[in-house]
Amino acid sequence: MAELRRLAVATLDANWEHDHTVPSRTLYPHQWSWDSAFIAIGSAHVRPDRAWRELHTLFAAQWADGRVPHIVFNPALRVGSYFPGPEFWGSVAVDGGPAAATSGIVQPPVHAQAAWLVHRRAPAEASREALRRLYPRLVAQQRYLTGRRDVGGAGLACIVHPWESGLDNSPAWDAPMDVVPADAAVMRAYRRHDTAHADAAHRPTDLDYARYVAIVDSYRAHSYRDDTLAGRHPFLVECPLFNAALGAAEHALARIATVVGADPGPHRERAARITEALVRRLYDPGTGTFRPRDLRTDRLVPARTVLGLMPLILPDLPARQVEAVLVEACSPRFGLASRMERPLPTHDRTAPDFEPLRYWRGPAWMNTSWLLWRGLLTHGRRDLAAGLRESMLELVATGGCHEYFHPDTRAGLGSAAFSWTASLLLDTLAEG
Ligand code: 2M8
């Protein structure tokens, strides 16, 4: 355990870049939104100053409308160090964009929960001050997502790009992506940076990338405006992970509000409304699963992925849905148990399109395991939480601080020194 801890701290230190941590020096050399939240959670155990710095730097790039961009670009890096880079997003030309070059899309709002966990780790005047600084920004982030992004009008936030889910090429996006017009040949005009640093067979395909580019092209052509998305935007989905994070953020904000002298009541009310909408919109009583809703067809997507287990992070998830998530998680599809044979995969192991090596289409990832682990603790399932924790430790003990892992052998895949694997390992170790 001491060895694992040392590896995690060394990984985070090596990825620290003056005011933020890069997810990976090779594959992702800028600052990413939900990575920074996960990184802050682990950094709090060893370098609390950096944990707060990480969050402050990210929120300094918040847009006037409240959106927190999914990438904040480091201007010191050479052109071409990541695709798609700042010139592709063109954020500096958009009204309401920050001074820093950023992307124009968002990622799951796990930041309020991160801020709360960082504070709880070592509550002191400095951390209360940090919470006072962040609180209005976190509130603005929620206002953006529950307001402009409620495209379906039913109380949930809609994602406008698979990258916004954080699980870029999850089989959950296959059905909505199939109808996005694109030609893989478009990619000849660009240079993918990821396949120069990772095995192309472990990454999204060129056709996936052509669609990613087409969706951004469409959003950017409308200056990243959200008011007319319905009817014109090619990808509009309500995601269970994203919206569970949205609800959990209101619970965290209620706690933060009591520390900073604000009223927690409205946060609790909003949290209850989000949980209610999540159950109403994304829970399918027929299969007992949560699945994303494609707003263009108004249907739940067919794939059963790890996204469907994420509503467990909501403390007010009704008992019926808690049980349903546990049944799904403990089924052969995901293999959760108090003694786990294999790590938690990101896709249904029994599905014909399960791919053990390809990114979010099967491999085990530390963040989705960590979210489920936190959810199990929230709902008092200590036996299953202990099993999952053991399996997460084994994963890193076998594969190192890799980005993701083979779901049978636990061999490390993707980047070899990945920040959120390191930081969430620190958090998992600390709760032993
Ligand atoms: C991956 O996504 C980026 C695009 O945002 C990429 O593939 O280049 C995802 O794993 C995402 O969840 C993560 O935040 C990002 C950086 O680690 O990499």
Side-chain angles (χ1 to χ4, degrees):
M1 294 300 159
E3 195 44 51
L4 276 186
R5 195 172 192 279
R6 259 195 302 278
L7 172 69
V9 175
T11 304
L12 286 177
D13 280 350
N15 287 348
W16 174 253
E17 179 61 54
H18 74 279
D19 62 1
H20 66 277
T21 311
V22 297
S24 147
R25 289 263 167 212
T26 51
L27 269 170
Y28 318 104
H30 301 280
Q31 180 174 30
W32 259 259
S33 170
W34 78 329
D35 296 65
S36 281
F38 291 132
I39 289 163
I41 290 165
S43 299
H45 295 281
V46 283
R47 313 219 189 281
D49 293 354
R50 280 192 191 170
W52 289 120
R53 190 89 191 275
E54 187 84 43
L55 293 173
H56 290 319
T57 304
L58 177 69
F59 278 85
Q62 187 168 33
W63 288 32
D65 61 11
R67 89 182 70 193
V68 177
H70 102 296
I71 306 175
V72 183
F73 291 105
N74 176 355
L77 295 187
R78 61 168 179 79
V79 175
S81 49
Y82 176 76
F83 174 80
E87 60 294 336
F88 176 84
W89 294 95
S91 69
V92 285
V94 178
D95 268 356
T102 71
S103 69
I105 59 171
V106 300
Q107 273 187 327
V110 285
H111 313 82
Q113 202 192 354
W116 177 251
L117 289 175
V118 175
H119 169 71
R120 207 188 59 178
R121 178 77 200 148
E125 187 41 35
S127 81
R128 277 190 286 277
E129 183 46 39
L131 284 183
R132 276 193 285 275
R133 214 171 127 187
L134 280 172
Y135 177 73
R137 292 182 173 267
L138 291 165
V139 170
Q141 176 187 31
Q142 292 291 107
R143 197 178 303 127
Y144 169 72
L145 295 173
T146 55
R148 290 176 195 226
R149 282 301 189 86
D150 183 4
V151 178
L156 293 183
C158 162
I159 59 170
V160 303
H161 196 295
W163 283 335
E164 294 203 313
S165 72
L167 275 66
D168 305 358
N169 67 342
S170 167
W173 314 134
D174 287 0
M177 284 284 271
D178 269 354
V179 295
V180 175
D183 178 354
V186 176
M187 292 311 293
R188 289 199 207 119
Y190 300 104
R191 229 175 107 228
R192 276 180 71 173
H193 165 84
D194 58 325
T195 41
H197 293 275
D199 190 332
H202 304 175
R203 294 282 310 175
T205 63
D206 267 1
L207 182 56
D208 292 332
Y209 261 80
R211 291 191 166 122
Y212 297 153
V213 164
I215 300 170
V216 177
D217 283 347
S218 166
Y219 200 26
R220 188 189 49 233
H222 293 86
S223 305
Y224 302 110
R225 289 175 60 124
D226 297 305
D227 47 359
T228 55
L229 283 171
R232 73 157 158 90
H233 193 70
F235 184 94
L236 296 168
V237 177
E238 291 171 353
C239 166
L241 189 169
F242 197 101
N243 282 288
L246 191 73
E250 291 295 346
H251 286 286
L253 282 168
R255 291 176 158 147
I256 295 173
T258 59
V259 174
V260 305
D263 181 3
H267 294 299
R268 292 200 190 107
E269 283 155 25
R270 279 196 285 271
R273 282 205 295 275
I274 293 167
T275 300
E276 185 277 321
L278 186 93
V279 170
R280 183 165 37 85
R281 301 272 295 169
L282 306 187
Y283 181 70
D284 171 14
T287 52
T289 57
F290 282 96
R291 279 173 287 130
R293 178 174 294 273
D294 184 347
L295 289 184
R296 291 170 50 98
T297 57
D298 202 23
R299 293 234 173 96
L300 297 182
V301 306
R304 292 163 83 143
T305 71
V306 76
L307 293 167
L309 310 181
M310 298 295 117
L312 203 68
I313 64 174
L314 289 167
D316 53 355
L317 191 68
R320 178 189 293 257
Q321 279 74 31
V322 169
E323 277 319 306
V325 168
L326 292 177
V327 167
E328 175 82 346
C330 294
S331 75
R333 298 174 197 276
F334 295 98
L336 175 68
S338 50
R339 287 184 75 87
M340 290 177 65
E341 309 257 302
R342 295 182 291 184
L344 185 82
T346 41
H347 184 34
D348 170 2
R349 278 184 190 279
T350 67
D353 56 354
F354 179 80
E355 289 187 70
L357 295 171
R358 203 185 285 278
Y359 217 34
W360 293 101
R361 303 184 70 87
W365 285 73
M366 201 57 177
N367 64 335
T368 41
S369 296
W370 181 87
L371 286 165
L372 183 62
W373 173 65
R374 283 271 166 198
L376 291 167
L377 291 175
T378 300
H379 291 278
R381 296 309 302 260
R382 300 206 76 86
D383 49 342
L384 292 172
L388 184 53
R389 176 177 181 273
E390 203 51 43
S391 144
M392 287 155 72
L393 299 182
E394 215 178 323
L395 200 58
V396 187
T398 313
C401 279
H402 261 85
E403 185 182 2
Y404 46 105
F405 303 85
H406 191 291
D408 297 324
T409 67
R410 303 184 180 85
L413 301 167
S415 162
F418 192 66
S419 298
W420 84 41
T421 302
S423 64
L424 296 177
L425 171 72
L426 289 175
D427 191 63
T428 311
L429 279 170
E431 297 265 334

